[in-house]
Amino acid sequence: MTTASPAAIADVLGGASAVTILCHVRPDADTIGSGLALGLALTTRGLDVEVSYPGPESLPVALRDLPGVRGLLVEPDALKGHDVTVSVDAAGPDRLGDLAAVFEGAVTSVVVDHHMSNGGFGDLDFVDPDADCTAVLVLRLIDELDVPLNADIATCLYAGLATDTGSFKWARPDSFRVAARLLDSGVDGRRWSRALFDTHPFSWLSMVAGVLASATFIPKAADGAGLVYAVVDHDAMVGMSWEESESIIDIVRTTAGAEIAAVFKEIEPASWTVSLRSKASVDLVPIARALGGGGHRHASGYSDIGSAQEVVDRLVGLL
Ligand SMILES: [Mn+2]
């Protein structure tokens, strides 16, 4: 990995006249918030900025009002692809989907990310697994660029920070210091917490009721650490936005006596994405990697193909 300091990356960004910023597939608040915050900061320095993410999923409803969505965010087809291109919060080029070609075609490609599994894939890699989110790494770049925080930039960063720390449930001390700084810069924390965590369509209630009713608990799994899992089949997925399905794991993982939680989501018939969470003792990275995925120690994921039983059996067999 060609590790680069924030100062070195700020030099490249500050010396460019235009920058392309790429977010990852199934965009979450950290990738979009990081991308928009960096974009807004570079715009104040006079750069031409475009931000995009690969399809097919559309932007989660909660993120559509983030500053910069109107103005900086462009459809993948409309990307110009500037000489300097930055990937934010993507653990590998595959996470950029169809936009990986844009990234690889850049004269200077820059990776900014906090995933443990990221081995670096840019000309310049700023990867810090000790960071709670990519947004705090973007803040370091913004500070290096001497761009003062304003409410818009801070709001984008706050969305990423609040989301990747589970609403600050597992935030490191430094993240609270960053949060205080962002709130001091004008973020409406109450509004964004409600938008990001406490808002669901009414239909979500009955969907969750059905999925949770069929959840399965295997106390003996993983040498007695315990596994709880739920299956969201394709019928249940239809009519539900993907970000709504992402929130199910946060309920399932509250099961006492289950160190590991999994939610199997059938995004297309027989095609699954699997979310994994662990509480303390189990490192999920090797498990997710063995199944072709990746992520963090306590939050990982992967994709699989087959019937619900086959996909469940593959994970249970590995634990
Ligand atoms: Mn992240």
Side-chain angles (χ1 to χ4, degrees), residues 33-45:
S34 294
L36 293 175
L38 182 60
L40 289 167
L42 293 172
T43 301
T44 69
R45 295 209 15 170

Side-chain angles (χ1 to χ4, degrees), residues 24 28-31 34 88-90 113-115 131-135 160 163-164 296:
H24 64 64
D28 61 14
D30 193 26
T31 194
S34 294
V88 284
D89 200 43
D113 185 37
H114 69 122
H115 290 90
D132 275 334
C133 57
T134 297
T163 300
D164 268 27
H296 305 285

Side-chain angles (χ1 to χ4, degrees), residues 139-163:
L139 178 57
R140 279 192 233 161
L141 294 177
I142 291 172
D143 286 341
E144 286 288 346
L145 287 159
D146 276 330
V147 173
L149 278 185
N150 59 35
D152 283 352
I153 295 172
T155 295
C156 292
L157 295 174
Y158 189 86
L161 176 62
T163 300

